[in-house]
Amino acid sequence: MVLSLPVILFLVLHLLPGVKSSRVQLNNNGYDGIVIAINPSVPEDEQLIQKIKEMVTEASTYLFQATKRRIYFRNVSILIPMTWKSKSEYLMPKQESYDQADVIVADPYLKYGDDPYTLQYGQCGDKGQYIHFTPNFLLTNNLPIYGSRGRVFVHEWAHLRWGVFDEYNMDQPFYISSKKTIEATRCSTHMTGRNLVFKQCQGNSCITRPCRRDFHTGLYEANCTFIPEKSQSARESIMFMQSLDSVTEFCTEKTHNAEAPNLQNKMCNHRSTWDVIKDSDDFQNASPMNGNNPPPPPTFSLLRTKQRVVCLVLDKSGSMSSDDRLFRMNQAAELYLIQIIEMGSLVGMVTFDSLATIQNYLTKITNGTAYQSITANLPPVAEGGTSICRGLTAAFQAIIQSNQSTSGSEIVLLTDGEDDKISSCFEDVKQSGAVIHTIALGPSADKELETLSDMTGGHRFFINKGINGLIDVFSRISSRSGSITQQAIQLESRTLSITGGKWINGTVPVDSTIGNDTFFVVTWTIQKPEILLRDPKGKIYKTSAFKEGTLNIRSARLRIPGIAETGTWTYSLLNKHIKSQMVTVTATSRAKSPTILPVTATAHMSRNIANYTSPMIVYAQISQGFLPVLGANVTAFIENEDEHQVILELWDNGAGADTVKNDGIYSRYFTDYHGNGRYSLKVRAQARENMARISLRQRQNQALYMPGYIENGAIILNPPRPEIKDEGTEAEVGDFNRETSGGSFIVSGIPPSGNQSSVFPPGKITDLTAQFKDLIQLSWTAPGNALDKGRANRYIIRISKDLLELQENFDNAFLVNTSILKPKEAGSTENFEFKPEPFKTENGTIFYIAIRAISEANLTSELSNIAQATKYIPPQETNVPDLGTKISISLAILGLTVILSIF
């Protein structure tokens, strides 16, 4: 079948590699398909919708100006939760959903601050996940603090869409420049202001004094704050302080402050934000619009989330009899209907081979028995051919004939076969507005299957022969509405090989955030084992408590009455058969109460499609609400079509693939490709012995909270931001287990033979620090021989007094003797010290240092971040006068201790 041009364009736009199914497209200078979703927990308030419209309308004009008449916002959908009343002007969504929204409106968890921020953890130029605004930010007057909401939206949009970073640094607000002056971390340096310490604040009035030097660092004291002049001549930068009226541009190559120790310089190799933005896909096809007229105002569509509608479309063709596939499918489908699907959902089922049969029209899941009418129709026999399109067409009929719309409905499509006619229904799928989640079972599943999920914003999964794999992926397909407390959470998913006549034991921690609707499920391959389950208080559940269904699918489950006890649950399984058999244990639960958000885990790859010469990154986010969980042990399991499994420990150390340390995003490079085809990702997160904790600190990548400004010489202060005391920046979280599927991805281009590991050089060092005592002391996280795997062969360290020379002409900078430096295993902390010979060193001398790592195959890493070390001798006087109020203070009058700076 020949596809129409609109369908081809649609597929091209939606099949590009990506981690999130954003619907945003740039057409003729205007953004279409932006989704702003309101969380179901937000109380109904029509004023909120009006404020969103005002913000986007203002932002569109500001964006148009900032991009030099290239881009504006044209069409925006506001997704209203089902908890709000229905109105005639509210339309029905198609693939728009809360979990795929570009902007979410939700209260902060634990009522801590209203700072707008963007969840962004990719590399330079990578798109972010979403922008988070709180209702309070949208409804109250924050003009003096953040600037207008439209300006804030553009600041956050640059994070989200173009992958640029902030040009301030709350952890290092000042640095020593190459001119030996103390500068505020900012872009551009033309931004003027004063550096002050606030004393004895009462209300908006404070006694201030100029900042003093810290004797140990040579920088200003810790509580020094840069206060900008309200009236500025500088027009940049939006990624520093968009709140000032004069700021209408991003920092360009000419105005960029390459010395500032901010995340933009660290992540983007000292490139300006405008340079990164210009290289984005958006700007490749967006020329400046002619004339002087402003862009047309945005148009808004109000969409109201509907009741969840799910239709299972299950393959029962003859090939499903192989490898126990039919049994495994039925086990997983039963678990999904009993334990995963949310109460109140409408669920139907279609089975197909070369023909399709509607087994169940939509049935409302209202209690613990409503699923039985569906599970009774799960296919007992596998036979016939494969027609995926007929299965989908029957699903559309089942939904429509149940008086529901296909728009916004979900279809879970599972198949193991090929169908050369699958493309014939792409147009129907597009027009339906349904979301299709695809499950490719086995290596022969149709190669175009993922097209259906990619074009509709659904999940994509691949499972080969793993006994528990299907249960894992079905457990991942939960509600997309944002109601986290209603979603099922997978606590355990273990496959155990038990010798005949032997016992095996295991534990499952039930933490304090969950416990409602808790199930333990055991499956087997030959004979039902003896089961003993003990709760934390010693109560024992025996085999007789685990009930089998009527389908004879070798599965038994126990639902814990009420709220499951918090603590460690212990299970023991006895294989009563004389032969060894495979037994699986699965545990799921939900939030303990609507007011306590559960700890959750989500995972994905950096792209859906990869060539073997391109590394991928595994990402896992562990959080409670919007708060990151730190200190967890997070492991990724990646498996290909030949069942070759790679196990990766994921890190949240701010090195290698990990952008920011301690942000609850655990990541690692994946390069261990074994053959072309589909790969699956599963992630396990564990916390033991009270090692995990919740971070209460503000997130990275947010609009700067301006403490005040100077107008006509007077200091005008804003209310101080909510602060958490030092002892309260982290909170304990108990032991927990989380299991989650991260979907599937496809690898191509691998040659039939050859050493693939030599393709990848050592990873870039991103956390190099330097301090100058008697010697220059360096510290960094070791890269691997291939990115962050293994051990590099050697390091090249060079030093210069000129930042630009080191950055642009590294090979000609002075080479440090590293003959005694032997690289450690990737992820280890490296320390090295040296004397800066043959340079002349005096008080105020600044050195810049950078590193490259070399692999055994003689491949060279990217240049590290550039660290700065300044020789600084504190004055001898005990009473040091104030050092004035200018931004720049000369080092010439000061005279050995430490200066540290990361670029």
Side-chain angles (χ1 to χ4, degrees), residues 97-335:
S97 66
Y98 181 89
D99 73 339
Q100 297 289 347
D102 306 290
V103 181
I104 60 173
V105 179
D107 286 316
Y109 187 50
L110 295 184
K111 297 292 181 186
Y112 173 51
D114 293 301
D115 286 337
Y117 71 90
T118 300
L119 183 60
Q120 174 193 13
Y121 47 77
Q123 304 300 299
C124 181
D126 289 349
K127 291 180 173 63
Q129 299 301 299
Y130 60 76
I131 298 168
H132 179 191
F133 294 125
T134 67
N136 193 49
F137 169 80
L138 292 169
L139 294 171
T140 58
N141 179 23
N142 299 293
L143 185 64
I145 297 172
Y146 303 104
S148 67
R149 282 182 282 267
R151 285 171 168 254
V152 172
F153 188 29
V154 172
H155 175 99
E156 299 304 332
W157 186 261
H159 283 306
L160 180 77
R161 187 70 183 177
W162 301 318
V164 295
F165 297 87
D166 287 323
E167 292 168 330
Y168 62 88
N169 187 338
M170 297 299 291
D171 295 324
Q172 194 174 346
F174 298 96
Y175 68 99
I176 297 177
S177 75
S178 57
K179 297 178 180 178
K180 301 183 180 181
T181 59
I182 300 179
E183 299 284 348
T185 302
R186 68 203 192 281
C187 194
S188 69
T189 54
H190 300 306
M191 192 75 67
T192 59
R194 297 170 64 187
N195 305 313
L196 301 171
V197 171
F198 298 100
K199 300 168 60 180
Q200 300 176 4
C201 291
Q202 195 168 30
N204 287 1
S205 176
C206 291
I207 299 174
T208 64
R209 64 167 174 79
C211 299
R212 300 189 181 110
R213 282 188 184 276
D214 183 303
F215 286 169
H216 299 288
T217 67
L219 292 169
Y220 287 136
E221 56 198 303
N223 54 351
C224 180
T225 303
F226 171 70
I227 306 295
E229 298 278 356
K230 187 173 184 180
S231 177
Q232 300 274 351
S233 59
R235 292 181 293 181
E236 61 281 319
S237 168
I238 293 170
M239 299 313 292
F240 171 60
M241 197 171 282
Q242 77 290 326
S243 56
L244 296 176
D245 292 341
S246 70
V247 174
T248 57
E249 298 179 3
F250 295 96
C251 265
T252 65
E253 184 179 4
K254 291 182 178 180
T255 58
H256 178 60
N257 180 7
E259 293 186 344
N262 54 39
L263 204 55
Q264 172 64 24
N265 279 330
K266 174 185 173 181
M267 295 302 301
C268 297
N269 295 326
H270 302 266
R271 296 175 64 202
S272 73
T273 52
W274 183 243
D275 284 346
V276 175
I277 291 169
K278 286 195 300 181
D279 283 347
S280 68
D281 292 338
D282 289 345
F283 274 64
Q284 302 311 304
N285 299 306
S287 301
M289 294 176 64
N290 296 325
N292 297 312
N293 294 330
T299 59
F300 297 91
S301 300
L302 303 182
L303 313 176
R304 182 174 179 267
T305 305
K306 70 172 191 174
Q307 182 179 23
R308 192 179 187 199
V309 174
V310 179
C311 188
L312 304 181
V313 180
L314 307 178
D315 187 350
K316 70 175 192 69
S317 62
S319 57
M320 288 291 290
S321 61
S322 303
D323 299 321
D324 253 356
R325 290 174 185 167
L326 194 74
F327 258 93
R328 289 157 52 204
M329 179 183 76
N330 289 345
Q331 287 174 346
E334 183 185 59
L335 179 141

Side-chain angles (χ1 to χ4, degrees), residues 311-313 350 358 390-400 406 411:
C311 188
L312 304 181
V313 180
V350 168
I358 299 175
R390 285 180 175 173
L392 292 174
T393 300
F396 297 151
Q397 293 172 355
I399 294 169
I400 292 170
T406 55
I411 291 174

Side-chain angles (χ1 to χ4, degrees), residues 445-467:
D446 196 279
K447 301 306 179 186
E448 291 190 276
L449 186 65
E450 285 83 2
T451 302
L452 294 168
S453 51
D454 290 341
M455 71 190 294
T456 63
H459 297 300
R460 46 189 283 168
F461 302 102
F462 162 67
I463 296 299
N464 197 359
K465 295 181 181 180
I467 301 296

